[in-house]
Amino acid sequence: VQLQASGGGLVQAGGSLRLSCAASGLTFSRYYMGWFRQAPGKEREFVAIIDWSGGGTYYADSVRGRFTVSRDNAKNMVSLQMNSLNTEDTAVYYCAASPRHTVRAQYYDAWGQGTLVTVSS
């Protein structure tokens, strides 16, 4: 199983970024796909999850209304559109795959390598 995250970079506060995650080696459409992030000196935290069909999503309170998760099962890809970014969004962002709907990192079977998002003030 391989998850490859991309799209991170440096952006000014108030700006937008779109992260993508390409999956291989798994039956993608059978997995919930989650996004997590880890800021310097902090624990990894849940950001968003999308169900296998793409019809159900759930977000952390800190990003709800600003971030949108989506998926394309035909391309084995999941994306995270991030708008109205602020400095507190600075972190390494990870995509991950789980067979269940969960916000708990320990229940995710596969992880991408992470992509760094830096938001400047």
Side-chain angles (χ1 to χ4, degrees), residues 17-66:
L17 277 177
R18 185 177 182 87
L19 306 183
S20 295
C21 176
S24 60
L26 77 168
T27 306
F28 183 72
S29 61
R30 294 183 180 178
Y31 282 84
Y32 293 86
M33 296 300 297
W35 286 95
F36 290 76
R37 67 185 181 185
Q38 187 165 19
K42 295 187 177 181
E43 294 186 353
R44 190 171 298 190
E45 65 174 358
F46 167 79
V47 174
I49 185 174
I50 187 166
D51 70 11
W52 60 270
S53 71
T57 58
Y58 180 75
Y59 300 91
D61 290 344
S62 59
V63 307
R64 186 174 293 117
R66 299 188 298 122

Side-chain angles (χ1 to χ4, degrees), residues 26-109:
L26 77 168
T27 306
F28 183 72
S29 61
R30 294 183 180 178
Y31 282 84
Y32 293 86
M33 296 300 297
W35 286 95
F36 290 76
R37 67 185 181 185
Q38 187 165 19
K42 295 187 177 181
E43 294 186 353
R44 190 171 298 190
E45 65 174 358
F46 167 79
V47 174
I49 185 174
I50 187 166
D51 70 11
W52 60 270
S53 71
T57 58
Y58 180 75
Y59 300 91
D61 290 344
S62 59
V63 307
R64 186 174 293 117
R66 299 188 298 122
F67 290 12
T68 303
V69 60
S70 60
R71 68 189 294 161
D72 184 338
N73 286 344
K75 296 182 179 179
N76 284 10
M77 292 195 68
V78 61
S79 298
L80 185 68
Q81 177 66 43
M82 306 185 296
N83 299 329
S84 302
L85 287 161
N86 57 60
T87 56
E88 295 183 350
D89 295 318
T90 294
V92 176
Y93 284 71
Y94 300 88
C95 58
S98 175
R100 67 179 74 181
H101 186 283
T102 180
V103 303
R104 295 178 176 266
Q106 63 261 42
Y107 294 119
Y108 282 76
D109 297 337

